[in-house]
Amino acid sequence: MNRLAQEKKVCALIPARLNSVRFPGKALKQIDGIPMVVRVLAAARNSGVFDAVYAATDSPEIAAVCQTYGFEAVFTSHSHQNPTSRIQEAVTILEDSKSASSRKFDFYAMIGGDEPLLTPEILQNFMEQALTVITSKENVQRPFLINAMADIPNDAETADPSNIKVVCRPDGTGLYISRAPIPFRKGTLDEPSRKFVSIGLYTRESLDFFCQSRPGILEQIEGVDLLRFLEYGKTILFLPICGYTLSVDTPADLETVQAILHRRTSTL
């Protein structure tokens, strides 16, 4: 990590709501006796790259569980339809608080509360890459935000609409994001599809822009909030992560994650 990046303060925010549409209560589902959202909070804290780590939630129950494990929570509105607007509200609350002078950050990392396979090493590697990029470029060349991506290892994950796929230029600049299997496999080039991974590096400007702009047509069709930035011509840089992860969107995903974590533990 370059010297300028090391001097920047970064706050990690983990959005978590109790009433998930596809899998209610998933944030508090136990994985080897530890609630899923707590696993993500612990990975963020143990990565050593964040100056502060918070859950962003509208649930007193989630907040209480986080506090039991030694993590702080920021209460946000019940009205949010996506994690980006929830994070923006949490940032506003933090910066407007009485102790705002001690809570000023240069960047904000959004980490999905449903990504329990994320490890401190994955987060550390991504953040070192992202901070180096965003602090080394001039303003006109700087990406508006940076997000993680990963190769999709099998056809089942490619076909699953819960796995959001991304296509990029060779330098990682995002071209499109979809729940559909993209790019379509008409040719024979043996290139893996790539999926969105819920680790993003934002500025206050990028978060405010999201909440001050209207949802675009593609965002509404796909149900993918990150498309708002692309529809308005903002640059998203996608960086590959150094390990495997899977977002938990269904009870079947939870079983898969539990099996993977059991295998990881048994090989230590």
Side-chain angles (χ1 to χ4, degrees):
M1 190 185 303
N2 65 38
R3 181 185 60 80
L4 183 57
Q6 290 176 322
E7 294 172 353
K8 298 299 183 181
K9 294 183 68 176
V10 185
C11 175
L13 291 152
I14 290 81
R17 60 174 179 162
L18 198 61
N19 296 319
S20 171
V21 174
R22 286 174 290 180
F23 190 4
K26 69 177 181 178
L28 296 181
K29 294 299 182 184
Q30 301 276 317
I31 302 176
D32 287 344
I34 300 174
M36 181 163 61
V37 67
V38 172
R39 283 186 168 271
V40 179
L41 288 160
R45 182 172 61 188
N46 294 338
S47 71
V49 294
F50 301 111
D51 296 280
V53 177
Y54 297 94
T57 185
D58 57 3
S59 165
E61 186 176 350
I62 290 177
V65 169
C66 292
Q67 289 163 4
T68 297
Y69 283 86
F71 294 99
E72 291 187 73
V74 180
F75 277 105
T76 56
S77 169
H78 290 278
S79 64
H80 294 291
Q81 300 300 308
N82 55 68
T84 308
S85 63
R86 187 179 302 282
I87 291 302
Q88 192 273 348
E89 185 193 359
V91 168
T92 301
I93 291 169
L94 288 173
E95 293 196 353
D96 290 348
S97 66
K98 291 181 180 179
S99 56
S101 60
S102 63
R103 298 180 188 268
K104 291 294 185 182
F105 300 97
D106 298 291
F107 300 104
Y108 298 92
M110 177 165 62
I111 305 170
D114 57 1
E115 296 263 12
L117 293 181
L118 290 176
T119 64
E121 293 74 22
I122 289 174
L123 293 172
Q124 183 181 63
N125 181 269
F126 171 80
M127 288 301 301
E128 287 178 350
Q129 290 185 74
L131 286 169
T132 296
V133 168
I134 208 164
T135 58
S136 64
K137 293 183 178 294
E138 299 295 332
N139 286 338
V140 292
Q141 298 176 311
R142 184 180 297 168
F144 202 59
L145 64 106
I146 300 178
N147 206 90
M149 66 177 176
D151 289 351
I152 302 178
N154 55 62
D155 291 341
E157 283 194 35
T158 301
D160 187 349
S162 296
N163 286 316
I164 298 169
K165 274 66 71 174
V166 301
V167 288
C168 307
R169 294 174 182 162
D171 65 357
T173 302
L175 293 172
Y176 194 61
I177 311 166
S178 179
R179 296 185 182 277
I182 56 173
F184 178 75
R185 298 290 173 179
K186 183 178 185 298
T188 58
L189 193 63
D190 188 21
E191 283 290 312
S193 296
R194 295 181 175 88
K195 66 179 179 180
F196 163 93
V197 177
S198 190
I199 317 170
L201 185 65
Y202 293 77
T203 60
R204 178 66 191 264
E205 177 189 8
S206 57
L207 290 169
D208 287 348
F209 170 83
F210 182 88
C211 289
Q212 292 164 3
S213 56
R214 296 174 62 86
I217 296 298
L218 296 175
E219 177 188 353
Q220 295 178 67
I221 292 172
E222 294 267 14
V224 177
D225 56 345
L226 218 60
L227 276 170
R228 187 175 310 186
F229 295 105
L230 293 184
E231 289 193 75
Y232 282 93
K234 302 299 183 182
T235 302
I236 304 174
L237 178 66
F238 285 93
L239 296 175
I241 61 167
C242 60
Y244 178 74
T245 186
L246 177 69
S247 63
V248 174
D249 296 301
T250 65
D253 291 334
L254 184 64
E255 291 180 9
T256 299
V257 164
Q258 288 173 325
I260 291 171
L261 287 172
H262 286 157
R263 287 197 297 271
R264 285 182 182 177
T265 302
S266 65
T267 57
L268 292 179

